Every structure is written in structure tokens, then in C-alpha cells.
């Protein structure tokens, strides 16, 4: 198996470290993936950790030229149907996620369970506080948006999200359900970017036996 890294920032370097630890060949690293060798691309899985603007420009090239693609970039939800449709048209497997951490994907599942119960009982108002490093470009985070989507679906609300950008925080997401007599809170805290990279590499491995487009949370617990 060969992997090409699109976007060689801090996350890209962490992905490279995990590939080395798992003895998976890194066939290339690129800040401009559309200039990448198409012959190598055709036998490689691309792991994309760029920025929303770059992914919007690059996704057609990724779908047309790579064996499979893992997308960790967020901020393109408004063109999600278009992107998924193009990958399906090209017959290129894709796994995407707002967060590739295994712990966060468990957090998604727990949030779904609790919010579905509270949606049936009523009487609680949800909120989300997310904290990230000062270099993060999008706010709210993709993870916070995903959590809010789960809660809103189950409770028929519009969850308030507050974002903090400070220092070098890898990522902290806190969900609260405020009731008249009590409060339920849950927090997931990432200690480093390595958990995201490990999940992304695992997703790349999973593409070997998949076809179509999938969210990581639907693949990781199969």
C-alpha cells in the first residue's frame, strides 16, 4: 500500500510519522496536489489535510487520479453533495470525517444516544464549547458542527456553539445539556494531533476493501 499526503503542515507531518511507524510507504508529499505525478497517484491513497479553499479546488483532481482518498479537511459541508457525487461518478473510494480520532467518534455515538433520550423527555437545552489552537482557520470546528448536527436532529433545536482560539490547544469539545434541576456535561480532550493522524491512516488502510463514499464513523466500528 502507498500513501500520498496532500498538505504537509503539522497534520501532514504527523501522518508521515504514523505511516513510518506502521511500515506503510509514503509515496509523496505535496502542497500543490494538482501538480502531483498521475502515475504514482493512480496506485496510491491520498490523505488530505489541507484547508477548505484548497480542497474545493483539488477534489476533482483527487477523485479523477487517486486510487482512493481520505479527507480530513473540513469546511466544505456546503458542497458535500457535489463532492460525494463526483467521487461516486469517478468510482473512487473516499472516507471523510470532521475528526478521525477514535475517541471523538465514540463521543459522536455517545452524544447521539444521550441527545436521543433527552429529545424524548424534553426539558433540556444543549450547548457546545470548543477550544483549539490559535492557528485553526475555521470556527466553529468541523467536529463541533458534527456534534451540533447530531443533537439538533435528535432534539429539534439549534445548538449554540462557542469557539475559543488560544495557544496550542489540540482540541477540546464540551457538550452541556442544561435542565431546570440539573446539568449533564461531557468533554473530549485531544492530547496531541497524533490521534487524528492514526485514525486517518487507519481509514486509508480500510479503503483497500471498500467502494463508494463513507463517513469514518460508519466504517471504524464495523
Amino acid at each position: 500500500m502507498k500513501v500520498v499526503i496532500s498538505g504537509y503542515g503539522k497534520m501532514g507531518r504527523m501522518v508521515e510519522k504514523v505511516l513510518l511507524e506502521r511500515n506503510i510507504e509514503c509515496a509523496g508529499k505535496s502542497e500543490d496536489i494538482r501538480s502531483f505525478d498521475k502515475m504514482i497517484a493512480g496506485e496510491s491513497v491520498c490523505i488530505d489535510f489541507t484547508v477548505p479553499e484548497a480542497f474545493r479546488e483539488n477534489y476533482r483532481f483527487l477523485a479523477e487520479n487517486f486510487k482512493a482518498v481520505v479527507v480530513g479537511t473540513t469546511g466544505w459541508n456546503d458542497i458535500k453533495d457535489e463532492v460525494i457525487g463526483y467521487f461516486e461518478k469517478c468510482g473512487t473510494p473516499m472516507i471523510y470525517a470532521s475528526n478521525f480520532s477514535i475517541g471523538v467518534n465514540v463521543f459522536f455515538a455517545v452524544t447521539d444516544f444521550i441527545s436521543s433520550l433527552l429529545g424524548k423527555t424534553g426539558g433540556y437545552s444543549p450547548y457546545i464549547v470548543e477550544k483549539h489552537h490559535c492557528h485553526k482557520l475555521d470556527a466553529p470546528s468541523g467536529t463541533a458542527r458534527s456534534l451540533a448536527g447530531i443533537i439538533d436532529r435528535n432534539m429539534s433545536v439549534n445548538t449554540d456553539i462557542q469557539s475559543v482560539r488560544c495557544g496550542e490547544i489540540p482540541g477540546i469539545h464540551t457538550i452541556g445539556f442544561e435542565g431546570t434541576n440539573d446539568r449533564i456535561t461531557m468533554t473530549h480532550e485531544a492530547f496531541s494531533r497524533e490521534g487524528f493522524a492514526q485514525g486517518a491512516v487507519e481509514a486509508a488502510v480500510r479503503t483497500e476493501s471498500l467502494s463508494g463514499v463513507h463517513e469514518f464513523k460508519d466504517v471504524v466500528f464495523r
Side-chain angles (χ1 to χ4, degrees):
M1 179 181 178
K2 297 179 181 180
V3 170
V4 171
I5 301 169
S6 176
Y8 196 57
K10 292 180 179 179
M11 272 305 306
R13 290 179 175 83
M14 188 61 73
V15 168
E16 184 180 31
K17 174 178 179 290
V18 173
L19 291 173
L20 180 63
E21 291 171 350
R22 294 188 59 167
N23 295 314
I24 297 173
E25 180 181 350
C26 180
K29 299 160 283 190
S30 180
E31 291 288 357
D32 180 15
I33 200 65
R34 284 179 292 171
S35 66
F36 196 77
D37 188 308
K38 293 182 180 180
M39 291 289 289
I40 298 175
E43 56 187 25
S44 303
V45 179
C46 180
I47 296 180
D48 182 277
F49 277 105
T50 53
V51 295
E53 294 75 17
F55 180 74
R56 289 167 186 270
E57 294 177 357
N58 296 339
Y59 80 84
R60 292 182 180 86
F61 180 89
L62 298 175
E64 291 167 0
N65 293 284
F66 279 90
K67 180 180 176 182
V69 179
V70 172
V71 182
T73 304
T74 61
W76 50 274
N77 197 57
D78 58 311
I79 60 166
K80 180 178 175 180
D81 291 343
E82 177 184 329
V83 172
I84 290 175
Y86 200 77
F87 272 84
E88 290 176 340
K89 176 184 175 181
C90 294
T92 304
M94 179 178 85
I95 298 177
Y96 68 97
S98 58
N99 195 310
F100 276 98
S101 160
I102 300 297
V104 164
N105 281 273
V106 171
F107 200 52
F108 287 152
V110 173
T111 299
D112 188 28
F113 176 71
I114 291 178
S115 61
S116 65
L117 292 178
L118 296 178
K120 294 173 183 176
T121 62
Y124 286 82
S125 298
Y127 63 85
I128 296 172
V129 179
E130 58 97 352
K131 303 176 183 178
H132 283 88
H133 50 84
C134 59
H135 316 289
K136 187 169 179 60
L137 298 178
D138 58 324
S141 68
T143 301
R145 291 180 187 273
S146 294
L147 290 165
I150 293 168
I151 295 167
D152 293 353
R153 183 183 68 246
N154 289 332
M155 299 181 69
S156 300
V157 294
N158 291 311
T159 303
D160 181 64
I161 305 174
Q162 297 296 317
S163 300
V164 175
R165 297 290 176 265
C166 184
E168 298 296 332
I169 303 169
I172 303 172
H173 291 85
T174 297
I175 301 173
F177 298 97
E178 190 82 10
T180 302
N181 301 308
D182 56 12
R183 177 188 304 118
I184 302 168
T185 58
M186 304 186 298
T187 296
H188 177 275
E189 179 174 356
F191 299 145
S192 73
R193 294 177 175 86
E194 188 165 357
F196 312 139
Q198 288 177 347
V201 171
E202 179 60 27
V205 172
R206 299 286 184 105
T207 63
E208 297 276 89
S209 59
L210 287 177
S211 60
V213 177
H214 305 268
E215 236 183 309
F216 185 55
K217 67 182 178 62
D218 298 325
V219 172
V220 68
F221 301 122
R222 284 183 178 177

